Each structure stands twice: as C-alpha cells, then as structure tokens.
C-alpha cells in the first residue's frame, strides 16, 4: 500500500483506524503452503485471536485455511463467517467443561490440554475424537511471556505424563485423532523446533488412529530492519522431509497442521493515528496521538517495536520523537525514535498492526474502539464501524440509586 492510499483512508474513515491489506495476507498464506509443498496433506488453521474480524476469517477460509480458536465465541465467529465446523480446531486453556462440550456438539475438533479434562471428557464422550496438546518442554524464544513449552508453563500436558495419558485413553476407550504442540511465539532456531518435533513424533507412536499432527505456531516475523525472522522455507524443507519419513514409519498418511496467527496477518496491518500535539519538554520532543494503549497495547505489554511512518510528511527532515498516547497513564509507543518531522495534525502509520492489535483493544478511558478497513484490490472497504457513545452505555443498567432527591420525586 502507498502512503497516499493510507492517507486517503484516514481522511475518509477518520482516525484512529486499522487498515489491513489482503494482498499481504494472501502472499503469506501462499508462502507457507509453498514451503510445505512436499507434504501430502497440509492444514493451516489461522489463529483467530490474532485478528478476529469476520471478513478476515472469510478471507482465510477462501484461501483454504481452517481456524484455530481458543474460546466458544471465536468458534461462533468462525461459523458466522461460513467456516465448516470440521475446519475449526478448539485449543482452549482453562475453560469450563461445559464450554468444551458445547463446542464439541458443534462438530468442532477438540484439543484437550490437561489430564483432568481428558479423563472427564473421555468418560462422558468416548465416541468424540480428541486431539491432545503436549508440552514438550522445549524452550522457544527467550521471553517468558511467549514461551509456553517450558516446565512452568500452564499449557499442554507434560511429555512426562504420557503413561498417564495412555492409561486414561485405555480406561475410557476414547479416540485420539491428533497430537498437538504450541511451544511459543518465536521459532528462531529451526533445530530446536525440529527437536520438539521429534518429541511429538515419539509421542505420536503411542496412538494408533491419528489423523493429524499439529505443530502449533511460533513463526516470528520481522518488526524492523535487521530483525531475525523464522526461515519458513528452511523449516518447510526440513520438517516436510522428516514428516514424510515419519508417516512411512507410522504406516499411514497424516495431515501436518500449523496454527499461524502473526505470520499471516501482522505485516498486513497498519494503525493510523493523528498527532494531536507536539510537546517539547526539557529533555524530549513528544508527539501525542489520538490513541493509546486502549487501541494498541503491544508496545507497552510486550515491549514490541512498531515502525512508525509519518505519512503526512514522508520526505520531511528526520528528527527524534517519543510517540505517546492520550491515556492518563504512561502509554509510550516509541521512545526517542527518528521520524520525519512531525507537525500537529499529521497522520502517523504504525506498521505490523495486523496481529494482536485490534483484537486486544479496549474501551479504557471510555474511548471508542477504532474502525477497521480492508484494502482489497485497490479499494478500501469498511469492515468494522468505529464505536459510538451508544456502545459504551448499551449494557449499563440505569438505576435510580444515588440519584438526588429532587430527581427521585420528579420521576414519581
Ligand atoms: C496464539 C496461538 C497461536 C498463534 O500464535 P502466533 O504466534 O500468532 O502465530 C497458535 N496456536 C495456539 C494454540 C495459540 O494459542
């Protein structure tokens, strides 16, 4: 997308606004499928939590992706988007048994990640095939927020508990059709990932009727120049080869699954916000925008870097700015960042705003969540309206408590 396209969108739909470029999503999808082209059966289930707009889910479905969901509400969004229940996998953590049963009733693939529920579910519904989420205890990436394979993680059933899993499966007569892992958000070292894969293959041999092995996600995308990204082509080459060998050993063609979120949508997204004020202090120049961590929390929550463009003045002389929000708390998007000269009223574009940006937005400070726009084949389509004051109050129940007396009398 060109700067001028983004500017036109900010003008037409106002700010702040999220924009997603379908071409980038499509290219990422194709890149991943191409990397694994030598695998007989590949299934990419898009992780809905990254960006859950129904139009995005429809796009994923049209590309051939299934969905990876973590709540019954995400499942319902998927069904609303027209995705078939058999193309949806439910990989929750810590949700209620009722929720799991309701989702199973919808015909969605269940993925169970604790022994207690495996036993309960298997006892009640031995006929419903389930996938089992394994924790191989392999560290992927260094940030403990996003490494979910380590020993203290709440995710998955420990690899050391395989004997207990097998006992439950035998006792209940349940049917295990898939093995799953999701080790963390960053596959940086392909050898480490392949090692986790070996653990999964070893585990898989214990189950006779598998249909798929799901390797979760963790594809790292670059956020700035020089960032390391997952070499999906190399991973594709090595894992495909090993997977095909394993299928031979296993004696049956299995489906290789992944659940990419960030990889498919991160780079497709732009977040556009307007500069309200340029404020010089004794130590810094602040650019204060009409947004905050209510709309884009990743920089504050994960310390993530989002490249910031001044699309109103792209050729301007570069100066150093700290870009901050309008929330009454520290909400710094970027500190001491070189950006083409900013004047009040300029529109800034944050890159990599497709994944975990809108989907983590809130109404904090009683602000409206932004609009979302899809850029498809050179045209902008509104795919979510900006909220209004009605949205803020629609679920609040008015009472006469604490109203002053005159009003009470008047209302009688
Ligand atoms: C969040 C999540 C994903 C997606 O992770 P990305 O880093 O966005 O690709 C995949 N699988 C599960 C189970 C998840 O919880």
């Amino acid at each position: 997308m060109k700067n001028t396209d983004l500017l036109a969108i900010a003008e037409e739909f106002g700010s702040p606004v999220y924009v997603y470029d379908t071409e980038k999503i499509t290219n990422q999808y194709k890149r991943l499928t191409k990397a694994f082209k030598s695998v007989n059966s590949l299934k990419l289930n898009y992780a809905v939590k990254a960006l859950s707009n129904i139009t995005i889910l429809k796009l994923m479905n049209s590309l051939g992706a299934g969905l990876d969901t973590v709540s019954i509400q995400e499942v319902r969004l998927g069904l609303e988007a027209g995705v078939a229940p058999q193309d949806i996998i439910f990989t929750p953590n810590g949700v209620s048994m009722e929720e799991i049963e309701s989702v199973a009733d919808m015909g969605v693939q269940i993925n169970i990640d604790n022994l207690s529920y495996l036993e309960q579910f298997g006892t009640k519904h031995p006929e419903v095939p389930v996938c089992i989420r394994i924790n191989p205890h392999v560290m992927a990436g260094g940030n403990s927020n996003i490494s979910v394979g380590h020993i203290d993680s709440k995710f998955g059933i420990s690899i050391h508990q395989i004997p207990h899993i097998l006992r439950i499966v035998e006792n209940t007569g349940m049917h295990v059709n898939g093995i799953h892992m999701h080790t963390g958000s960053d596959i940086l070292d392909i050898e480490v990932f392949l090692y986790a894969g070996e653990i999964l293959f070893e585990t898989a041999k214990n189950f006779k009727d598998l249909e798929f092995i799901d390797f979760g996600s963790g594809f790292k995308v670059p956020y700035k120049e020089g960032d390391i990204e997952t070499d999906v082509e190399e991973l594709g080459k090595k894992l495909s080869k090993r997977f095909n060998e394993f299928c031979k050993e296993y004696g049956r063609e299995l489906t290789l699954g992944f659940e990419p979120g960030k990889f498919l949508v991160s780079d497709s997204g732009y977040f556009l916000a307007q500069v309200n004020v340029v404020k010089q202090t004794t130590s810094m120049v602040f650019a204060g925008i009409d947004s905050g961590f209510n709309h884009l929390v990743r920089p504050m929550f994960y310390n993530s870097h989002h490249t910031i463009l001044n699309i109103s003045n792209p050729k301007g002389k570069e100066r150093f700015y700290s870009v901050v929000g309008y929330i009454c708390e520290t909400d710094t998007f970027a500190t001491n960042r070189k950006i083409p000269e900013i004047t009040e009223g300029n529109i800034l574009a944050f890159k990599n705003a497709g994944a975990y940006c809108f989907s983590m937005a809130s109404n904090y400070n009683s602000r409206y969540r932004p609009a979302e726009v899809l850029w498809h084949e050179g045209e902008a389509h509104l795919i979510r309206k900006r909220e209004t004051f009605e949205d803020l109050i629609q679920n609040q129940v008015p009472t006469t408590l604490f109203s002053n007396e005159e009003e009470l009398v008047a209302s009688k």
Side-chain angles (χ1 to χ4, degrees):
M1 287 190 75
K2 297 195 292 283
N3 282 343
T4 47
D5 299 328
L6 293 170
L7 264 181
I9 286 171
E11 220 153 87
E12 181 176 354
F13 300 97
S15 78
V17 60
Y18 278 98
V19 184
Y20 313 114
D21 181 352
T22 57
E23 194 183 341
K24 288 199 176 178
I25 296 174
T26 305
N27 286 345
Q28 287 294 86
Y29 184 84
K30 286 185 180 159
R31 190 178 152 203
L32 204 50
T33 43
K34 195 168 163 226
F36 287 88
K37 64 178 185 304
S38 72
V39 167
N40 238 344
S41 169
L42 177 76
K43 184 76 191 184
L44 301 181
N45 293 316
Y46 165 64
V48 172
K49 73 179 187 292
L51 174 59
S52 12
N53 190 291
I54 285 179
T55 303
I56 298 292
L57 305 187
K58 285 183 178 172
L59 167 63
M60 294 297 176
N61 196 225
S62 77
L63 293 172
L67 300 179
D68 172 61
T69 56
V70 295
S71 70
I72 190 170
Q73 290 80 6
E74 285 188 354
V75 172
R76 291 183 59 186
L77 284 176
L79 297 175
E80 193 76 29
V83 180
Q86 61 270 21
D87 285 332
I88 304 178
I89 181 165
F90 185 51
T91 306
N93 176 266
V95 309
S96 72
M97 182 55 88
E98 290 71 35
E99 184 167 339
I100 293 179
E101 287 177 319
S102 302
V103 172
D105 264 351
M106 296 169 171
V108 167
Q109 172 73 49
I110 302 298
N111 191 357
I112 291 185
D113 99 325
N114 68 77
L115 289 171
S116 167
Y117 274 24
L118 189 69
E119 184 166 340
Q120 291 176 56
F121 193 88
T123 304
K124 275 175 90 176
H125 314 282
E127 74 293 348
V128 178
V130 302
C131 174
I132 297 178
R133 180 172 183 172
I134 299 292
N135 183 344
H137 302 311
V138 173
M139 283 287 274
N143 183 334
S144 63
N145 285 326
I146 50 179
S147 299
V148 293
H150 58 83
I151 197 99
D152 291 330
S153 165
K154 69 167 185 168
F155 297 99
I157 302 177
S158 167
I159 193 70
H160 304 300
Q161 293 175 312
I162 298 291
H164 198 165
I165 295 177
L166 294 176
R167 174 149 300 143
I168 290 172
V169 170
E170 196 186 320
N171 288 346
T172 58
M174 68 194 299
H175 173 37
V176 177
N177 67 343
I179 292 288
H180 169 276
M181 72 169 185
H182 173 64
T183 55
S185 265
D186 290 344
I187 306 171
L188 286 175
D189 188 335
I190 287 177
E191 296 309 317
V192 172
F193 191 79
L194 292 173
Y195 175 69
E198 286 307 319
I199 294 175
L200 216 53
F201 291 137
E202 253 338 282
T203 307
K205 288 180 188 162
N206 292 296
F207 303 92
K208 298 287 160 267
D209 302 312
L210 293 184
E211 289 155 23
F212 65 93
I213 299 182
D214 187 332
F215 291 85
S217 183
F219 302 101
K220 183 172 167 54
V221 299
Y223 277 72
K224 57 178 185 289
E225 245 175 85
D227 265 3
I228 319 173
E229 65 176 308
T230 304
D231 186 343
V232 297
E233 285 72 26
E234 190 194 340
L235 179 69
K237 218 186 282 171
K238 291 188 169 163
L239 184 60
S240 301
K241 183 163 173 283
R242 184 62 192 100
F243 185 80
N244 290 337
E245 283 167 15
F246 177 76
C247 289
K248 281 210 189 93
E249 281 173 52
Y250 188 76
R252 188 203 287 194
E253 286 297 343
L254 299 171
T255 296
L256 190 165
F258 277 113
E259 306 161 344
K262 202 186 279 176
F263 182 84
L264 293 180
V265 297
S266 174
D267 187 41
S268 79
Y270 300 85
F271 179 57
L272 310 181
Q274 186 164 34
V275 177
N276 280 337
V277 62
V278 177
K279 177 173 180 174
Q280 310 243 2
T281 68
T282 45
S283 65
M284 192 93 85
V285 184
F286 288 100
I289 62 172
D290 62 351
S291 180
F293 70 60
N294 51 329
H295 298 149
L296 177 56
V297 77
R298 298 188 77 258
M300 304 83 185
F301 200 31
Y302 298 118
N303 203 16
S304 58
H305 179 107
H306 290 262
T307 296
I308 302 173
L309 313 171
N310 181 357
I311 57 173
S312 299
N313 185 25
K315 298 212 168 79
K317 195 168 135 239
E318 287 186 320
R319 297 189 58 191
F320 288 92
Y321 296 93
S322 282
V323 178
V324 295
Y326 61 10
I327 291 293
C328 291
E329 284 195 46
T330 302
D331 56 350
T332 307
F333 291 101
T335 307
N336 214 27
R337 190 78 74 77
K338 222 187 214 178
I339 299 171
E341 183 152 20
I342 297 174
T343 48
E344 291 169 3
N346 282 173
I347 300 289
L348 304 185
F350 292 71
K351 294 181 72 176
N352 285 93
Y356 307 105
C357 291
F358 185 91
S359 63
M360 292 179 104
S362 76
N363 290 118
Y364 188 45
N365 276 206
S366 297
R367 295 293 186 178
Y368 310 141
R369 274 175 292 190
E372 291 179 292
V373 169
L374 194 74
W375 180 254
H376 183 61
E377 294 176 349
E379 272 181 43
H381 304 264
L382 185 66
I383 58 171
R384 187 192 299 266
K385 292 189 282 191
R386 184 181 312 287
E387 286 180 337
T388 63
F389 191 68
E390 292 307 308
D391 294 309
L392 291 184
I393 56 169
Q394 64 173 345
N395 290 333
Q396 300 198 39
V397 180
T399 72
T400 51
L401 298 168
F402 318 119
S403 303
N404 70 42
E405 244 169 275
E406 271 148 25
E407 267 173 8
L408 269 182
V409 173
S411 72
K412 271 183 189 155

